[in-house]
Amino acid sequence: MSEVEAFSALRPRLFSIAYRMLGVRADAEDVVQDAWLRWSDPARPAVQSSEAWLVSVVTRLSIDRLRAAKVQRAHYVGEWLPEPLVGVDEHTPEDAAILASELSVALMWVLERLAPEERAAFLLRQAFEQDYGELAAVLGKSEAACRQLVHRAGERIRQDAPRFQVRRDAHRSLLERFRQAASQGDMATLKELLAEDVAIVADGGGKVASFMKVLRGGQRIANLYKAVFLRNGSKLAYRMALVNGEPGLLRYIDGQLESVQAFASDGERITAIYAMRNPDKLAAALQYASTLTPSSSTASP
């Protein structure tokens, strides 16, 4: 296998690591491109394992970029959510790898609270099943230190991540009922479908009006969706779509994509909503959304 073929075969894995680390598709692609430049450098020493070498390079590049990003995100206006991957094509190798990793927005939001090296250690161990010897080589730490990083990250994930593993068909069915209720301003059904302690996290990035903090409460959030219906009437439309490999919603106002919404649920009620409204993060989603007609029948993800 040539070096080009070796890199191409590993590219989906490398992109998945970088996107999980950074939460921004363009940044992840930049990291993979930087890794390719290092891989294709004629002066690069010979390596025993192309996979180990490239995973190490991508991880370290991602850690460096994430450290810089965290300085910027400290001044971010409101809550920060990852750039959504909308309308993922399951037939392409890159996107198939993303789907296989169950890369939910809910998990990405929790990962954002980890320090860069904790995030890398947790992802490589839990998502990519690397042993502690491999982690030590990638991160330049002892195996004991890597175990501690993974342990700390795991404790944080268990505290904050969604607690339920829900079948995809059940999640989609629940979301379809919510879509219909939100489209019609059906307050009774909205309240029925929202958990009492449901939370909504919205990311406007200071570019559009949005909530500055996490809002909680079924009644409160049902009121918000009812208010959107009353304010927009026939200009409002929701479409089903894949958001990071899971059923989610695209919300249109007057034919324009206004937000990409991801959801966590317990299979019976919605427990969290993640609404991406920052126009910068909707740019790629707009390419997919432009292929849909908001008023047409619901798409099946």
Side-chain angles (χ1 to χ4, degrees):
M1 180 183 295
S2 71
E3 291 189 349
V4 172
E5 291 172 331
F7 186 89
S8 296
L10 289 168
R11 192 184 188 287
R13 180 185 181 95
L14 302 178
F15 177 86
S16 188
I17 291 171
Y19 175 77
R20 280 172 169 263
M21 284 290 295
L22 300 169
V24 179
R25 186 169 198 141
D27 288 350
E29 289 172 343
D30 286 347
V31 163
V32 174
Q33 180 63 21
D34 286 348
W36 161 249
L37 293 176
R38 298 186 184 202
W39 176 250
S40 59
D41 185 348
R44 173 182 58 81
V47 298
Q48 291 185 339
S49 168
S50 56
E51 179 175 356
W53 192 90
L54 284 166
V55 166
S56 179
V57 167
V58 165
T59 301
R60 290 170 183 167
L61 288 171
S62 296
I63 288 173
D64 290 343
R65 188 171 285 239
L66 184 57
R67 284 174 176 152
K70 279 190 171 294
V71 174
Q72 297 175 342
R73 292 175 193 177
H75 303 286
Y76 195 79
V77 179
E79 297 290 335
W80 188 95
L81 287 171
E83 177 189 352
L85 301 179
V86 177
V88 175
D89 180 357
E90 299 183 46
H91 300 291
T92 64
E94 176 181 287
D95 291 332
I98 296 169
L99 287 179
S101 66
E102 299 180 356
L103 193 54
S104 72
V105 173
L107 177 58
M108 292 286 290
W109 188 62
V110 176
L111 288 174
E112 186 64 17
R113 283 147 180 73
L114 302 179
E117 288 189 341
E118 284 180 334
R119 187 165 178 165
F122 178 82
L123 289 174
L124 293 177
R125 176 64 179 171
Q126 299 299 326
F128 300 101
E129 299 181 343
Q130 291 203 335
D131 63 36
Y132 285 104
E134 292 172 318
L135 284 185
V138 170
L139 299 178
K141 296 181 176 293
S142 68
E143 291 190 28
C146 289
R147 288 179 186 276
Q148 186 62 28
L149 285 173
V150 173
H151 175 74
R152 283 203 308 265
E155 286 294 311
R156 186 61 184 269
I157 295 295
R158 280 188 287 274
Q159 289 175 9
D160 297 341
R163 302 174 185 177
F164 304 95
Q165 294 294 325
V166 180
R167 294 194 328 271
R168 182 174 173 137
D169 59 344
H171 182 76
R172 185 187 184 284
S173 177
L174 174 63
L175 198 55
E176 173 57 22
R177 292 176 61 200
F178 182 83
R179 184 194 71 82
Q180 293 179 3
S183 299
Q184 299 165 7
D186 182 349
M187 189 68 174
T189 303
L190 287 170
K191 289 174 61 177
E192 175 188 343
L193 297 177
L194 294 168
E196 290 185 6
D197 59 348
V198 62
I200 185 167
V201 184
D203 179 349
K207 306 292 181 67
V208 296
S210 191
F211 311 124
M212 298 295 291
K213 297 181 179 180
V214 179
L215 300 184
R216 300 183 184 276
Q219 177 72 48
R220 189 178 193 183
I221 294 173
N223 285 336
L224 290 173
Y225 278 86
K226 178 63 177 280
V228 171
F229 168 77
L230 292 175
R231 185 164 60 247
N232 296 284
S234 61
K235 296 180 180 180
L236 174 68
Y238 291 86
R239 286 299 307 269
M240 296 282 286
L242 287 176
V243 179
N244 282 43
E246 295 185 334
L249 293 178
L250 308 183
R251 185 162 72 189
Y252 296 80
I253 304 294
D254 200 17
Q256 301 298 312
L257 181 64
E258 177 265 351
S259 63
V260 173
Q261 302 185 10
F263 298 79
S265 76
D266 60 10
E268 296 181 356
R269 294 188 298 174
I270 292 167
T271 57
I273 302 171
Y274 305 89
M276 281 69 74
R277 302 191 64 238
N278 184 338
D280 294 342
K281 296 181 182 180
L282 296 183
L286 280 168
Q287 297 179 16
Y288 170 79
S290 65
T291 67
L292 302 177
T293 304
S295 58
S296 63
S297 59
T298 302
S300 177

